[in-house]
Amino acid sequence: MTRNPLLETLRAFMTERDWGQFHSPENLAKSIAIEAGELLECYQWNADVDRDEVADELADVLTYALLLADKLNLDPEQIIRAKLERTGQKYPVEKAKGRSTKYDRL
């Protein structure tokens, strides 16, 4: 795994507080879903949102996602690039550009 200063900061933050004991993959996955729900709640009644509130909730989602990737020994950049490659094959530009149609209906 490549050196990631942000991940190193997260690890140090968690270690100082002894929170690693609570960070099983299951708990981290649950936390991602919970925080994603809180992010969605920002948009519940309209699209005119408090940007700072959205940033806080998005930071929580990203934090738990990075911690889960770290716990599972997955490199976030590598798994995102691999997923983009697979998604690009399912959604070729010439068929998918400007469309939200699912890949099996293109």
Side-chain angles (χ1 to χ4, degrees), residues 1 3-5 7 10 33 35-36 42 48 53 56 65-66 69 76 96 100 103:
M1 202 176 282
R3 184 180 177 279
N4 182 324
L7 191 52
L10 283 173
E35 295 299 340
C42 295
D48 185 28
E53 187 178 344
D56 279 349
L66 287 171
S100 62
Y103 70 92

Side-chain angles (χ1 to χ4, degrees), residues 38-73:
E38 291 178 11
L39 175 60
L40 187 57
E41 188 176 29
C42 295
Y43 293 94
Q44 185 172 7
W45 302 115
N46 64 60
D48 185 28
V49 299
D50 179 329
R51 193 169 192 271
D52 291 335
E53 187 178 344
V54 169
D56 279 349
E57 297 305 337
L58 182 56
D60 289 341
V61 172
L62 293 169
T63 295
Y64 284 122
L66 287 171
L67 290 171
L68 179 57
D70 188 47
K71 179 65 81 172
L72 298 175
N73 263 348

Side-chain angles (χ1 to χ4, degrees), residues 87-88 90-103 106:
T87 302
K90 287 169 41 174
Y91 293 93
V93 173
E94 59 277 0
K95 290 183 177 181
K97 187 172 184 173
R99 301 178 72 191
S100 62
T101 308
K102 190 172 176 183
Y103 70 92
L106 288 174

